[in-house]
Amino acid sequence: MSPVIGVLALQGDVAEHIRAVASLGESVREVRTPEELDSVDALILPGGESTTIARLATTFLLADPIRERIANNMPCFGSCAGMILLADRILDGEADQETFGGMDITVRRNAFGRQVDSFETQVAVEGIAGEKVHAVFIRAPWIEAIGPKVEVLATVSDGPAEGRIVAASQGALMVCSFHPELTTDTRLHELFVRRVKGQS
Ligand code: GLN
């Protein structure tokens, strides 16, 4: 049976992630309720606004069920705000900002500086062969510290943020600071699907 990929559909780049996964020929559906969460094998946490998504997840009674699924090894892929939501620790969060957690990483919100609202660059991503990935950063976080079980998948290769970690994985979880859903390059989604299927 091929896995069903869910996209947490409370706020943010939901349609873009759905389009990317569907273009790979995979089953994908929106997740807004605990029942819908039960019906998926994996979950994408989109870019958007992490404080809003976390608040809505609590309101929609999804926050604890998502934490439970993460604890039970549900594969998750978080982009940008989704990365923040999967981090065990955040810096520059709002007071009392909650995450789902699961990854032993410290993530700084809006890390590239408020004046640099968005920028684009090429990054080499571990597990993705061929050309570098065109990475779109929008008020993006970066990973400031990682625990021993975390594998770094990508760092910024030039400019003021050189060396900063912008993609990583730990067990079934994978995150990136940028927005693969906003480009036509689906290789990050393919990488996630391969991980969901246990092929990578
Ligand atoms: N700055 C946003 C946050 O804190 C993330 C930005 C994004 O997802 N484009 O949630």
Side-chain angles (χ1 to χ4, degrees):
M1 276 279 283
S2 83
V4 178
I5 315 278
V7 178
L8 184 63
L10 301 175
Q11 189 266 337
D13 297 340
V14 176
E16 292 83 350
H17 275 293
I18 300 246
R19 196 176 312 131
V21 176
S23 79
L24 300 175
E26 303 295 334
S27 306
V28 59
R29 67 175 70 135
E30 296 183 355
V31 170
R32 274 197 201 85
T33 64
E35 293 71 31
E36 286 168 348
L37 179 65
D38 285 344
S39 75
V40 299
D41 301 297
L43 189 65
I44 294 179
L45 308 170
E49 181 52 51
S50 57
T51 49
T52 307
I53 296 173
R55 217 174 290 128
L56 289 170
T58 303
T59 307
F60 281 60
L61 304 177
L62 274 168
D64 284 334
I66 289 174
R67 288 190 185 102
E68 259 169 55
R69 290 292 301 275
I70 290 172
N72 289 316
N73 292 320
M74 171 177 64
C76 291
F77 172 27
S79 64
C80 202
M83 169 194 264
I84 297 168
L85 290 164
L86 288 174
D88 281 347
R89 294 167 300 278
I90 46 178
L91 301 169
D92 291 341
E94 286 187 6
D96 302 327
Q97 181 173 350
E98 295 208 358
T99 69
F100 305 133
M103 267 185 90
D104 188 7
I105 54 176
T106 305
V107 166
R108 185 177 294 279
R109 288 180 69 220
N110 303 322
F112 293 87
R114 289 193 176 276
Q115 66 282 21
V116 191
D117 258 7
S118 76
F119 71 99
E120 303 184 14
T121 189
Q122 314 293 325
V123 294
V125 179
E126 198 64 46
I128 295 184
E131 280 175 29
K132 288 184 174 182
V133 171
H134 184 77
V136 178
F137 295 86
I138 303 169
R139 300 210 309 122
W142 64 42
I143 298 175
E144 203 146 304
I146 58 171
K149 294 193 178 136
V150 176
E151 186 190 354
V152 173
L153 298 180
T155 57
V156 178
S157 62
D158 53 14
E162 187 178 340
R164 291 297 182 179
I165 302 169
V166 291
S169 67
Q170 177 187 336
L173 308 178
M174 169 177 141
V175 292
C176 63
S177 303
F178 45 92
H179 292 273
E181 72 278 15
L182 297 183
T183 70
T184 53
D185 184 348
T186 51
R187 289 178 296 165
L188 257 295
H189 291 86
E190 269 171 58
L191 179 61
F192 179 58
V193 168
R194 283 209 304 275
R195 293 169 59 93
V196 172
K197 294 179 174 174
Q199 295 165 353
S200 125

